[in-house]
Amino acid sequence: MTPTGEQLCYSDAYARSIGATVRHVEVGDATVVVLDRTVFYPGGGGQPSDRGLLLRASDGRTWTVRGAKKVGAEIVHELEPADGDPPAVGDVLQ
């Protein structure tokens, strides 16, 4: 299965930030977000996943990514629950 989002963590390990758009948000036991592009490495082979921040371009609102993982071919970003409401589908992030 081919991912629908661009996974820059595999082609540019030194990239630290990019612009991205939220494609999917799921709220349940954990809040997860799928982006159209990501630099977050999902972990594997004994290496932990990346952690970091998502920053909404329109107002500077941030969310803490406590981990990233592969679900099928996609990389999903798990958000800290204490950060409140997640970003919305279509939000542009920096």
Side-chain angles (χ1 to χ4, degrees), residues 8-55:
L8 295 172
C9 59
Y10 297 122
S11 61
D12 185 356
Y14 295 103
R16 300 195 36 92
S17 65
I18 56 167
T21 301
V22 177
R23 287 192 14 246
H24 178 78
V25 177
E26 187 173 316
V27 178
D29 292 336
T31 299
V32 295
V33 175
V34 177
L35 307 173
D36 69 338
R37 313 173 71 207
T38 188
V39 295
F40 284 82
Y41 178 72
Q47 183 165 336
S49 71
D50 288 340
R51 299 173 52 90
L53 293 175
L54 300 179
L55 170 68

Side-chain angles (χ1 to χ4, degrees), residues 34-87:
V34 177
L35 307 173
D36 69 338
R37 313 173 71 207
T38 188
V39 295
F40 284 82
Y41 178 72
Q47 183 165 336
S49 71
D50 288 340
R51 299 173 52 90
L53 293 175
L54 300 179
L55 170 68
R56 185 166 46 206
S58 65
D59 62 3
R61 169 83 160 82
T62 62
W63 294 269
T64 302
V65 176
R66 68 179 182 183
K69 64 182 179 180
K70 288 284 262 194
V71 174
E74 297 295 339
I75 295 175
V76 300
H77 308 78
E78 185 176 344
L79 304 183
E80 286 287 348
D83 285 351
D85 292 334

